[in-house]
PDB file of all heavy atoms in Angstrom:
ATOM      1  N   PRO B 212     122.769  93.795 -32.132  1.00 94.00           N
ATOM      2  CA  PRO B 212     121.298  93.773 -32.154  1.00 94.00           C
ATOM      3  C   PRO B 212     120.765  95.072 -32.788  1.00 94.00           C
ATOM      4  O   PRO B 212     121.401  96.119 -32.653  1.00 94.00           O
ATOM      5  CB  PRO B 212     120.916  93.704 -30.670  1.00 94.00           C
ATOM      6  CG  PRO B 212     122.131  93.206 -29.970  1.00 94.00           C
ATOM      7  CD  PRO B 212     123.311  93.636 -30.764  1.00 94.00           C
ATOM      8  N   GLN B 213     119.660  94.973 -33.433  1.00 90.00           N
ATOM      9  CA  GLN B 213     119.000  96.119 -34.068  1.00 90.00           C
ATOM     10  C   GLN B 213     119.756  96.658 -35.274  1.00 90.00           C
ATOM     11  O   GLN B 213     119.492  97.767 -35.737  1.00 90.00           O
ATOM     12  CB  GLN B 213     118.737  97.260 -33.075  1.00 90.00           C
ATOM     13  CG  GLN B 213     117.668  96.905 -32.050  1.00 90.00           C
ATOM     14  CD  GLN B 213     116.410  96.340 -32.718  1.00 90.00           C
ATOM     15  OE1 GLN B 213     115.889  96.924 -33.673  1.00 90.00           O
ATOM     16  NE2 GLN B 213     115.934  95.188 -32.254  1.00 90.00           N
ATOM     17  N   THR B 214     120.708  95.873 -35.811  1.00 96.00           N
ATOM     18  CA  THR B 214     121.346  96.276 -37.073  1.00 96.00           C
ATOM     19  C   THR B 214     120.296  96.294 -38.183  1.00 96.00           C
ATOM     20  O   THR B 214     119.497  95.364 -38.307  1.00 96.00           O
ATOM     21  CB  THR B 214     122.474  95.291 -37.424  1.00 96.00           C
ATOM     22  OG1 THR B 214     123.542  95.464 -36.488  1.00 96.00           O
ATOM     23  CG2 THR B 214     123.005  95.511 -38.829  1.00 96.00           C
ATOM     24  N   SER B 215     120.315  97.353 -38.983  1.00 96.00           N
ATOM     25  CA  SER B 215     119.459  97.435 -40.182  1.00 96.00           C
ATOM     26  C   SER B 215     120.160  96.730 -41.336  1.00 96.00           C
ATOM     27  O   SER B 215     121.383  96.739 -41.412  1.00 96.00           O
ATOM     28  CB  SER B 215     119.240  98.888 -40.597  1.00 96.00           C
ATOM     29  OG  SER B 215     118.638  99.621 -39.576  1.00 96.00           O
ATOM     30  N   ILE B 216     119.378  96.185 -42.251  1.00 96.00           N
ATOM     31  CA  ILE B 216     119.981  95.549 -43.426  1.00 96.00           C
ATOM     32  C   ILE B 216     119.140  95.837 -44.662  1.00 96.00           C
ATOM     33  O   ILE B 216     117.911  95.965 -44.575  1.00 96.00           O
ATOM     34  CB  ILE B 216     120.166  94.027 -43.208  1.00 96.00           C
ATOM     35  CG1 ILE B 216     120.979  93.399 -44.361  1.00 96.00           C
ATOM     36  CG2 ILE B 216     118.831  93.320 -43.027  1.00 96.00           C
ATOM     37  CD1 ILE B 216     121.516  92.007 -44.055  1.00 96.00           C
ATOM     38  N   ALA B 217     119.820  95.985 -45.793  1.00 95.00           N
ATOM     39  CA  ALA B 217     119.150  96.176 -47.082  1.00 95.00           C
ATOM     40  C   ALA B 217     119.815  95.247 -48.079  1.00 95.00           C
ATOM     41  O   ALA B 217     120.970  94.852 -47.897  1.00 95.00           O
ATOM     42  CB  ALA B 217     119.279  97.628 -47.542  1.00 95.00           C
ATOM     43  N   GLY B 218     119.098  94.870 -49.127  1.00 93.00           N
ATOM     44  CA  GLY B 218     119.665  93.920 -50.086  1.00 93.00           C
ATOM     45  C   GLY B 218     119.266  94.218 -51.512  1.00 93.00           C
ATOM     46  O   GLY B 218     118.189  94.761 -51.779  1.00 93.00           O
ATOM     47  N   VAL B 219     120.162  93.883 -52.438  1.00 90.00           N
ATOM     48  CA  VAL B 219     119.870  93.916 -53.871  1.00 90.00           C
ATOM     49  C   VAL B 219     120.326  92.568 -54.405  1.00 90.00           C
ATOM     50  O   VAL B 219     121.402  92.094 -54.045  1.00 90.00           O
ATOM     51  CB  VAL B 219     120.629  95.061 -54.570  1.00 90.00           C
ATOM     52  CG1 VAL B 219     120.269  95.118 -56.040  1.00 90.00           C
ATOM     53  CG2 VAL B 219     120.317  96.400 -53.917  1.00 90.00           C
ATOM     54  N   PHE B 220     119.506  91.965 -55.284  1.00 90.00           N
ATOM     55  CA  PHE B 220     119.760  90.584 -55.688  1.00 90.00           C
ATOM     56  C   PHE B 220     119.709  90.419 -57.199  1.00 90.00           C
ATOM     57  O   PHE B 220     119.217  91.288 -57.922  1.00 90.00           O
ATOM     58  CB  PHE B 220     118.724  89.650 -55.038  1.00 90.00           C
ATOM     59  CG  PHE B 220     118.720  89.759 -53.533  1.00 90.00           C
ATOM     60  CD1 PHE B 220     117.807  90.600 -52.889  1.00 90.00           C
ATOM     61  CD2 PHE B 220     119.650  89.083 -52.783  1.00 90.00           C
ATOM     62  CE1 PHE B 220     117.825  90.725 -51.513  1.00 90.00           C
ATOM     63  CE2 PHE B 220     119.671  89.206 -51.398  1.00 90.00           C
ATOM     64  CZ  PHE B 220     118.756  90.031 -50.761  1.00 90.00           C
ATOM     65  N   THR B 221     120.186  89.278 -57.646  1.00 84.00           N
ATOM     66  CA  THR B 221     120.096  88.898 -59.051  1.00 84.00           C
ATOM     67  C   THR B 221     118.659  89.036 -59.553  1.00 84.00           C
ATOM     68  O   THR B 221     117.714  88.823 -58.793  1.00 84.00           O
ATOM     69  CB  THR B 221     120.562  87.446 -59.253  1.00 84.00           C
ATOM     70  OG1 THR B 221     120.473  87.127 -60.640  1.00 84.00           O
ATOM     71  CG2 THR B 221     119.713  86.445 -58.476  1.00 84.00           C
ATOM     72  N   ARG B 222     118.528  89.367 -60.846  1.00 81.00           N
ATOM     73  CA  ARG B 222     117.200  89.327 -61.459  1.00 81.00           C
ATOM     74  C   ARG B 222     116.974  88.016 -62.183  1.00 81.00           C
ATOM     75  O   ARG B 222     116.003  87.865 -62.931  1.00 81.00           O
ATOM     76  CB  ARG B 222     117.026  90.499 -62.429  1.00 81.00           C
ATOM     77  CG  ARG B 222     117.005  91.820 -61.692  1.00 81.00           C
ATOM     78  CD  ARG B 222     116.555  92.956 -62.592  1.00 81.00           C
ATOM     79  NE  ARG B 222     116.896  94.225 -61.986  1.00 81.00           N
ATOM     80  CZ  ARG B 222     116.876  95.381 -62.611  1.00 81.00           C
ATOM     81  NH1 ARG B 222     116.527  95.442 -63.882  1.00 81.00           N
ATOM     82  NH2 ARG B 222     117.205  96.497 -61.996  1.00 81.00           N
ATOM     83  N   SER B 223     117.883  87.079 -61.996  1.00 81.00           N
ATOM     84  CA  SER B 223     117.718  85.764 -62.628  1.00 81.00           C
ATOM     85  C   SER B 223     116.397  85.147 -62.193  1.00 81.00           C
ATOM     86  O   SER B 223     115.985  85.265 -61.035  1.00 81.00           O
ATOM     87  CB  SER B 223     118.862  84.833 -62.227  1.00 81.00           C
ATOM     88  OG  SER B 223     118.601  83.509 -62.672  1.00 81.00           O
ATOM     89  N   THR B 224     115.746  84.450 -63.130  1.00 82.00           N
ATOM     90  CA  THR B 224     114.530  83.713 -62.770  1.00 82.00           C
ATOM     91  C   THR B 224     114.876  82.368 -62.139  1.00 82.00           C
ATOM     92  O   THR B 224     113.982  81.595 -61.826  1.00 82.00           O
ATOM     93  CB  THR B 224     113.651  83.476 -64.007  1.00 82.00           C
ATOM     94  OG1 THR B 224     114.411  82.736 -64.968  1.00 82.00           O
ATOM     95  CG2 THR B 224     113.192  84.783 -64.626  1.00 82.00           C
TER      96      THR B 224
END
Side-chain angles (χ1 to χ4, degrees):
Chain B
Q213 291 310 311
T214 291
S215 301
I216 188 165
V219 183
F220 303 96
T221 181
R222 293 192 196 166
S223 171
T224 59

